[in-house]
PDB file of all heavy atoms in Angstrom:
ATOM      1  N   THR A1158      43.560 -58.657  67.823  1.00 76.00           N
ATOM      2  CA  THR A1158      43.025 -58.048  66.609  1.00 76.00           C
ATOM      3  C   THR A1158      44.144 -57.407  65.804  1.00 76.00           C
ATOM      4  O   THR A1158      44.221 -57.561  64.582  1.00 76.00           O
ATOM      5  CB  THR A1158      41.972 -56.979  66.975  1.00 76.00           C
ATOM      6  OG1 THR A1158      41.185 -57.480  68.039  1.00 76.00           O
ATOM      7  CG2 THR A1158      41.106 -56.650  65.793  1.00 76.00           C
ATOM      8  N   THR A1159      45.044 -56.693  66.491  1.00 79.00           N
ATOM      9  CA  THR A1159      46.152 -56.048  65.802  1.00 79.00           C
ATOM     10  C   THR A1159      47.012 -57.091  65.111  1.00 79.00           C
ATOM     11  O   THR A1159      47.390 -56.944  63.949  1.00 79.00           O
ATOM     12  CB  THR A1159      47.024 -55.278  66.811  1.00 79.00           C
ATOM     13  OG1 THR A1159      46.170 -54.549  67.665  1.00 79.00           O
ATOM     14  CG2 THR A1159      47.968 -54.340  66.106  1.00 79.00           C
ATOM     15  N   TRP A1160      47.286 -58.164  65.822  1.00 79.00           N
ATOM     16  CA  TRP A1160      48.138 -59.205  65.274  1.00 79.00           C
ATOM     17  C   TRP A1160      47.483 -59.831  64.040  1.00 79.00           C
ATOM     18  O   TRP A1160      48.113 -60.062  63.034  1.00 79.00           O
ATOM     19  CB  TRP A1160      48.390 -60.269  66.345  1.00 79.00           C
ATOM     20  CG  TRP A1160      49.087 -61.483  65.832  1.00 79.00           C
ATOM     21  CD1 TRP A1160      50.400 -61.595  65.474  1.00 79.00           C
ATOM     22  CD2 TRP A1160      48.505 -62.775  65.603  1.00 79.00           C
ATOM     23  NE1 TRP A1160      50.662 -62.873  65.044  1.00 79.00           N
ATOM     24  CE2 TRP A1160      49.532 -63.612  65.118  1.00 79.00           C
ATOM     25  CE3 TRP A1160      47.221 -63.296  65.770  1.00 79.00           C
ATOM     26  CZ2 TRP A1160      49.303 -64.944  64.796  1.00 79.00           C
ATOM     27  CZ3 TRP A1160      47.003 -64.623  65.449  1.00 79.00           C
ATOM     28  CH2 TRP A1160      48.032 -65.435  64.965  1.00 79.00           C
ATOM     29  N   ARG A1161      46.175 -60.061  64.134  1.00 73.00           N
ATOM     30  CA  ARG A1161      45.461 -60.672  63.019  1.00 73.00           C
ATOM     31  C   ARG A1161      45.488 -59.772  61.791  1.00 73.00           C
ATOM     32  O   ARG A1161      45.599 -60.223  60.669  1.00 73.00           O
ATOM     33  CB  ARG A1161      43.996 -60.878  63.420  1.00 73.00           C
ATOM     34  CG  ARG A1161      43.613 -62.335  63.492  1.00 73.00           C
ATOM     35  CD  ARG A1161      42.142 -62.404  63.723  1.00 73.00           C
ATOM     36  NE  ARG A1161      41.852 -63.275  64.837  1.00 73.00           N
ATOM     37  CZ  ARG A1161      40.683 -63.309  65.439  1.00 73.00           C
ATOM     38  NH1 ARG A1161      39.724 -62.498  65.068  1.00 73.00           N
ATOM     39  NH2 ARG A1161      40.471 -64.128  66.429  1.00 73.00           N
ATOM     40  N   ARG A1162      45.363 -58.460  62.033  1.00 72.00           N
ATOM     41  CA  ARG A1162      45.300 -57.534  60.921  1.00 72.00           C
ATOM     42  C   ARG A1162      46.638 -57.452  60.214  1.00 72.00           C
ATOM     43  O   ARG A1162      46.732 -57.218  59.036  1.00 72.00           O
ATOM     44  CB  ARG A1162      44.887 -56.160  61.435  1.00 72.00           C
ATOM     45  CG  ARG A1162      44.052 -55.397  60.442  1.00 72.00           C
ATOM     46  CD  ARG A1162      43.713 -54.030  60.987  1.00 72.00           C
ATOM     47  NE  ARG A1162      43.217 -54.091  62.348  1.00 72.00           N
ATOM     48  CZ  ARG A1162      43.240 -53.054  63.170  1.00 72.00           C
ATOM     49  NH1 ARG A1162      43.750 -51.914  62.782  1.00 72.00           N
ATOM     50  NH2 ARG A1162      42.754 -53.169  64.382  1.00 72.00           N
ATOM     51  N   ARG A1163      47.731 -57.641  60.989  1.00 72.00           N
ATOM     52  CA  ARG A1163      49.062 -57.539  60.372  1.00 72.00           C
ATOM     53  C   ARG A1163      49.384 -58.755  59.536  1.00 72.00           C
ATOM     54  O   ARG A1163      50.220 -58.701  58.659  1.00 72.00           O
ATOM     55  CB  ARG A1163      50.119 -57.392  61.488  1.00 72.00           C
ATOM     56  CG  ARG A1163      49.986 -56.035  62.141  1.00 72.00           C
ATOM     57  CD  ARG A1163      51.323 -55.500  62.573  1.00 72.00           C
ATOM     58  NE  ARG A1163      51.124 -54.191  63.182  1.00 72.00           N
ATOM     59  CZ  ARG A1163      51.608 -53.854  64.358  1.00 72.00           C
ATOM     60  NH1 ARG A1163      52.336 -54.708  65.029  1.00 72.00           N
ATOM     61  NH2 ARG A1163      51.378 -52.658  64.839  1.00 72.00           N
ATOM     62  N   ARG A1164      48.730 -59.864  59.854  1.00 63.00           N
ATOM     63  CA  ARG A1164      48.976 -61.079  59.090  1.00 63.00           C
ATOM     64  C   ARG A1164      48.478 -60.892  57.670  1.00 63.00           C
ATOM     65  O   ARG A1164      47.485 -60.206  57.445  1.00 63.00           O
ATOM     66  CB  ARG A1164      48.208 -62.241  59.724  1.00 63.00           C
ATOM     67  CG  ARG A1164      49.103 -63.394  60.097  1.00 63.00           C
ATOM     68  CD  ARG A1164      48.346 -64.406  60.879  1.00 63.00           C
ATOM     69  NE  ARG A1164      46.902 -64.211  60.853  1.00 63.00           N
ATOM     70  CZ  ARG A1164      46.043 -65.181  61.089  1.00 63.00           C
ATOM     71  NH1 ARG A1164      46.473 -66.384  61.338  1.00 63.00           N
ATOM     72  NH2 ARG A1164      44.750 -64.946  61.091  1.00 63.00           N
ATOM     73  N   PRO A1165      49.137 -61.534  56.680  1.00 54.00           N
ATOM     74  CA  PRO A1165      48.631 -61.416  55.308  1.00 54.00           C
ATOM     75  C   PRO A1165      47.203 -61.928  55.233  1.00 54.00           C
ATOM     76  O   PRO A1165      46.888 -62.998  55.758  1.00 54.00           O
ATOM     77  CB  PRO A1165      49.566 -62.331  54.504  1.00 54.00           C
ATOM     78  CG  PRO A1165      50.762 -62.542  55.359  1.00 54.00           C
ATOM     79  CD  PRO A1165      50.358 -62.330  56.771  1.00 54.00           C
ATOM     80  N   ALA A1166      46.347 -61.167  54.582  1.00 47.00           N
ATOM     81  CA  ALA A1166      44.928 -61.517  54.549  1.00 47.00           C
ATOM     82  C   ALA A1166      44.686 -62.779  53.741  1.00 47.00           C
ATOM     83  O   ALA A1166      43.731 -63.506  53.970  1.00 47.00           O
ATOM     84  CB  ALA A1166      44.121 -60.373  53.955  1.00 47.00           C
ATOM     85  N   ARG A1167      45.571 -63.060  52.785  1.00 44.00           N
ATOM     86  CA  ARG A1167      45.380 -64.174  51.853  1.00 44.00           C
ATOM     87  C   ARG A1167      45.327 -65.516  52.573  1.00 44.00           C
ATOM     88  O   ARG A1167      44.637 -66.436  52.178  1.00 44.00           O
ATOM     89  CB  ARG A1167      46.535 -64.181  50.839  1.00 44.00           C
ATOM     90  CG  ARG A1167      46.128 -64.156  49.388  1.00 44.00           C
ATOM     91  CD  ARG A1167      45.196 -63.006  49.007  1.00 44.00           C
ATOM     92  NE  ARG A1167      45.888 -61.842  48.545  1.00 44.00           N
ATOM     93  CZ  ARG A1167      45.715 -60.660  49.107  1.00 44.00           C
ATOM     94  NH1 ARG A1167      44.927 -60.523  50.143  1.00 44.00           N
ATOM     95  NH2 ARG A1167      46.309 -59.600  48.634  1.00 44.00           N
ATOM     96  N   GLU A1168      46.097 -65.634  53.630  1.00 42.00           N
ATOM     97  CA  GLU A1168      46.292 -66.901  54.324  1.00 42.00           C
ATOM     98  C   GLU A1168      44.984 -67.610  54.665  1.00 42.00           C
ATOM     99  O   GLU A1168      44.907 -68.828  54.632  1.00 42.00           O
ATOM    100  CB  GLU A1168      47.046 -66.587  55.613  1.00 42.00           C
ATOM    101  CG  GLU A1168      47.739 -67.769  56.235  1.00 42.00           C
ATOM    102  CD  GLU A1168      48.503 -67.296  57.467  1.00 42.00           C
ATOM    103  OE1 GLU A1168      49.423 -66.472  57.307  1.00 42.00           O
ATOM    104  OE2 GLU A1168      48.169 -67.721  58.566  1.00 42.00           O
ATOM    105  N   ASP A1169      43.960 -66.824  54.977  1.00 42.00           N
ATOM    106  CA  ASP A1169      42.709 -67.415  55.446  1.00 42.00           C
ATOM    107  C   ASP A1169      41.889 -68.046  54.329  1.00 42.00           C
ATOM    108  O   ASP A1169      41.185 -69.013  54.546  1.00 42.00           O
ATOM    109  CB  ASP A1169      41.846 -66.365  56.140  1.00 42.00           C
ATOM    110  CG  ASP A1169      42.392 -66.062  57.513  1.00 42.00           C
ATOM    111  OD1 ASP A1169      42.895 -66.993  58.149  1.00 42.00           O
ATOM    112  OD2 ASP A1169      42.330 -64.908  57.916  1.00 42.00           O
TER     113      ASP A1169
END
Side-chain angles (χ1 to χ4, degrees):
Chain A
T1158 319
T1159 314
W1160 172 73
R1161 245 187 231 165
R1162 213 182 312 159
R1163 290 214 180 129
R1164 236 172 13 157
R1167 235 54 92 236
E1168 199 177 297
D1169 285 325

